Amino acid sequence: MIKNLTSGTAVFTQPSGPIKCAGAPQMIAYLAADFWRSQGELEDTRVVLLLLTPVMFGVKVFD
């Protein structure tokens, strides 16, 4: 789906409950955005990362 999207809105989500690696769901959003940038398609693509938790990371020093 990432390779086929050339414009529009891409929505990525992160689970609200505890998970082993909080960065994993975010990583695909970052990798996808980098791919679209390398293809010259990021200007036409809106990347949305939805977090259902009040903070991005559970460890305060990283949040």
Side-chain angles (χ1 to χ4, degrees):
M1 291 176 70
I2 291 170
K3 288 181 179 180
N4 291 332
L5 184 72
T6 58
S7 65
T9 300
V11 179
F12 297 88
T13 62
Q14 180 166 324
S16 62
I19 56 174
K20 188 173 183 177
C21 179
Q26 298 168 25
M27 185 175 65
I28 191 61
Y30 306 142
L31 290 172
D34 187 60
F35 173 77
W36 294 318
R37 182 199 50 78
S38 72
Q39 300 299 305
E41 298 164 345
L42 188 57
E43 287 183 15
D44 299 323
T45 305
R46 179 176 175 228
V47 180
V48 178
L49 176 61
L50 297 174
L51 304 175
L52 299 176
T53 56
V55 295
M56 185 175 273
F57 296 106
V59 180
K60 190 168 186 139
V61 70
F62 295 112
D63 187 51

